[in-house]
Amino acid sequence: MGIRIIDIIATILVNFVHCVFTEHILSCNVTQLGSCPGNYHVCNETSLQCYCLEDYIQYGNGCIAKSEAYNTDHDATAAVVSIFTIALVVVGLVLVIRKYNLIDYVRHKINQRRNNDVMYEDVMIGQDDPPLVP
């Protein structure tokens, strides 16, 4: 009897269930040096699994200091929030500028300051007023 397809499917399903419901803890050999990958890993003799030292936490396949893990998580969050905030401010400015035609307003004001012509509509030329009588 050879291996049937049902046996292969059952093996894959059992491995999948095992992978989903167990923690991904690295196994190690106590008698072998460097059996745990990365720095700050120690092999436990009773469970034969790698764990991190006291002031370190598991991050990926290695151990990092707790303070570094705090900074690593918040650096990415800060970057995303900063980019989102800058994009929101830029979109808001564009909408306000378009709604109130601020570009045309500024151009008009600049052109008014460049032209130093006196508006003669407001200036009286000649003696059109009646004389003042006491």
Side-chain angles (χ1 to χ4, degrees):
M1 289 186 149
I3 297 177
R4 294 179 294 183
I5 292 184
I6 295 175
D7 295 335
I8 295 172
I9 292 172
T11 305
I12 291 172
L13 285 175
V14 169
N15 283 331
F16 178 72
V17 169
H18 175 71
C19 181
V20 168
F21 291 109
T22 59
E23 293 183 29
H24 297 287
I25 300 174
L26 302 171
S27 61
C28 61
N29 186 358
V30 179
T31 60
Q32 184 180 12
L33 285 175
S35 62
C36 293
N39 297 333
Y40 313 114
H41 265 128
V42 178
C43 185
N44 189 347
E45 291 182 19
T46 57
S47 65
L48 296 178
Q49 293 177 341
C50 296
Y51 67 94
C52 296
L53 292 176
E54 188 174 326
D55 291 333
Y56 296 92
I57 60 171
Q58 187 77 26
Y59 189 78
N61 286 337
C63 294
I64 60 172
K66 289 181 182 178
S67 60
E68 290 178 18
Y70 177 77
N71 293 337
T72 309
D73 294 340
H74 290 286
D75 287 345
T77 305
V80 169
V81 168
S82 298
I83 290 171
F84 182 72
T85 304
I86 290 170
L88 193 63
V89 167
V90 167
V91 168
L93 285 174
V94 167
L95 290 176
V96 167
I97 288 171
R98 283 190 177 182
K99 181 176 180 180
Y100 295 109
N101 277 337
L102 292 179
I103 294 175
D104 292 336
Y105 176 76
V106 170
R107 283 183 185 163
H108 179 70
K109 288 295 182 182
I110 290 173
N111 285 335
Q112 263 186 339
R113 292 206 180 235
R114 285 185 184 165
N115 297 334
N116 290 333
D117 298 336
V118 177
M119 301 295 284
Y120 287 108
E121 298 168 354
D122 296 335
V123 177
M124 185 183 308
I125 300 173
Q127 302 247 347
D128 294 339
D129 289 337
L132 295 173
V133 179

